[in-house]
Amino acid sequence: MSQANLLSPPTQINPPTALALSQKAPLILSHSPTSSLPWPLSLLFSRETPESWTIHENLFYSALRTGDETSARAILERLKARFGEQNERIITLVGVFNEATAKSNAELEKVFEEYEQILREDPTNMSVRKRRVAVLKSLGRTQDAITALTVLLQNSPTDVEAWAEASELYATQGAWGQAIYCAEEVLLMMPNAWSAHAHIATLHYLSTVSNNPPSLSSLALALKHFCRVVELNDSYLRGYYGLKLLTTKLIPLLSDAPQSSNKRGGNAQDDDDVPIPKLATVEKLEELATNKLGEIVRNASARKWMGYDEAEVIAARELLDRGGRIER
């Protein structure tokens, strides 16, 4: 098993890798050097390193993701013995375990009450505040989750994760203005995060795609952000997928628009001053996105390029097949 996988942040571990890690958890744990002595004495009598506990935590999350509650519990007990049950990170991991193993809404409500008790004793525990939001989402209490995030952000206005989560929750409610506002806060703090640009581009697209006719200014903003995505990461499949989808939508709209509106870009968006793109520009971007997606799909299918999610590759192929623009 690759050491890189064991040390990667949990969000970067894909499902197949998580399954492989979970299956090897008992073997890895049996060879993992640990000590029951408290830190820092444990450093004197064991070969543990900071990486040892990163590995344990990744194994814990991988085991939960694949339903291996036995391994997850064993890892959690080892972490509790090492760092103590009152450690803030351990408290959070215990909560995550209880959430993942809850079999009903009643059990989730019990986890929620435990979080409430922890916050009454320590209102500054931001990790538990975030887990509380996660439980509210799982219970379908979206508005309560939004309210909880609003309170969290009042106390921690630079929390990127919380702004991103708020954006996702508003989007599920169709509150596109609020969702876009929250996504823009993420970009203020992470201006070069291509995934954040992809998210805000998607929000602008979704906010208008069901309108008849769609807002060209919103589509222009989406196009601006998707172009920034592929500028920042020229191998990001989702960026090219969005660019292809958007340009395919824009081309017929611009073709039907009056010529005068396209001479200098026309009809700028007041807030962001983003001009409506010219038809020729959009056609070039559509060709670029098509060619790049075709290259990614061909190489990923031939196993020449690794690292792409299989579901994303399939979706990209279907999008290209829809336009009849992929060479097999």
Side-chain angles (χ1 to χ4, degrees):
M1 179 57 58
S2 169
Q3 182 78 352
N5 288 332
L6 288 168
L7 296 175
S8 298
T11 54
Q12 295 180 13
I13 298 176
N14 58 37
T17 301
L19 178 60
L21 287 173
S22 176
Q23 291 171 337
K24 292 181 179 294
L27 178 62
I28 293 172
L29 289 175
S30 68
H31 291 86
S32 179
T34 61
S35 171
S36 60
L37 292 172
W39 187 90
L41 292 178
S42 60
L43 299 179
L44 301 176
F45 300 99
S46 79
R47 293 179 291 120
E48 74 174 61
T49 65
E51 288 78 12
S52 301
W53 302 108
T54 300
I55 289 171
H56 276 70
E57 194 165 326
N58 279 342
L59 286 174
F60 170 77
Y61 282 115
S62 295
L64 282 183
R65 287 173 64 184
T66 55
D68 186 358
E69 294 180 16
T70 302
S71 292
R73 188 186 298 276
I75 297 165
L76 183 59
E77 291 302 319
R78 182 178 286 190
L79 288 166
K80 287 163 65 175
R82 171 62 177 78
F83 295 100
E85 295 189 15
Q86 299 309 309
N87 179 280
E88 185 172 313
R89 197 175 188 92
I90 299 303
I91 290 173
T92 304
L93 292 178
V94 170
V96 170
F97 180 84
N98 291 336
E99 288 177 49
T101 56
K103 300 295 190 291
S104 65
N105 281 353
E107 292 184 16
L108 276 177
E109 290 281 4
K110 183 178 178 182
V111 175
F112 180 79
E113 289 303 320
E114 290 171 354
Y115 285 154
E116 294 284 85
Q117 179 60 38
I118 292 169
L119 291 174
R120 281 193 286 269
E121 297 173 0
D122 180 12
T124 65
N125 192 322
M126 301 304 285
S127 296
V128 168
R129 284 195 176 276
K130 291 182 180 181
R131 295 314 315 168
R132 181 174 176 272
V133 172
V135 173
L136 288 170
K137 282 178 58 182
S138 297
L139 290 170
R141 294 165 58 181
T142 304
Q143 195 55 54
D144 288 338
I146 290 173
T147 301
L149 274 174
T150 302
V151 173
L152 190 157
L153 285 167
Q154 288 173 348
N155 292 287
S156 182
T158 58
D159 192 314
V160 173
E161 281 186 345
W163 282 114
E165 186 62 45
S167 179
E168 293 280 1
L169 287 174
Y170 277 122
T172 64
Q173 301 299 294
W176 302 115
Q178 293 94 322
I180 290 169
Y181 174 84
C182 293
E184 287 172 343
E185 289 294 319
V186 174
L187 282 181
L188 283 176
M189 291 174 275
M190 302 178 66
N192 293 326
W194 55 81
S195 58
H197 280 281
H199 176 63
I200 197 170
T202 302
L203 291 176
H204 280 295
Y205 177 79
L206 293 175
S207 71
T208 192
V209 70
S210 61
N211 297 342
N212 190 20
S215 165
L216 284 176
S217 58
S218 293
L219 293 177
L221 277 167
L223 184 68
K224 166 192 166 185
H225 285 287
F226 273 128
C227 287
R228 182 61 175 152
V229 170
V230 298
E231 179 185 8
L232 290 168
N233 185 346
D234 66 358
S235 61
Y236 190 48
L237 187 152
R238 291 192 182 189
Y240 287 106
Y241 184 98
L243 193 59
K244 167 70 175 175
L245 195 65
L246 184 61
T247 52
T248 302
K249 183 77 173 180
L250 268 170
I251 287 173
L253 292 174
L254 293 175
S255 299
D256 295 339
Q259 291 297 315
S260 59
S261 68
N262 284 318
K263 285 183 180 178
R264 297 190 309 111
N267 300 333
Q269 170 81 359
D270 291 338
D271 293 339
D272 297 86
D273 196 28
V274 176
I276 304 303
K278 295 180 180 179
L279 176 59
T281 301
V282 176
E283 288 175 335
K284 289 179 181 178
L285 289 172
E286 192 273 339
E287 184 178 0
L288 169 69
T290 300
N291 292 338
K292 188 65 178 182
L293 276 180
E295 182 184 10
I296 290 173
V297 168
R298 286 191 298 272
N299 284 287
S301 300
R303 303 296 180 183
K304 292 180 181 178
W305 290 358
M306 307 299 287
Y308 288 103
D309 184 82
E310 185 178 359
E312 292 182 352
V313 173
I314 292 172
R317 176 177 286 280
E318 289 177 351
L319 179 63
L320 291 170
D321 283 345
R322 219 178 299 161
R325 294 291 298 277
I326 186 169
E327 297 176 7
R328 298 181 183 278

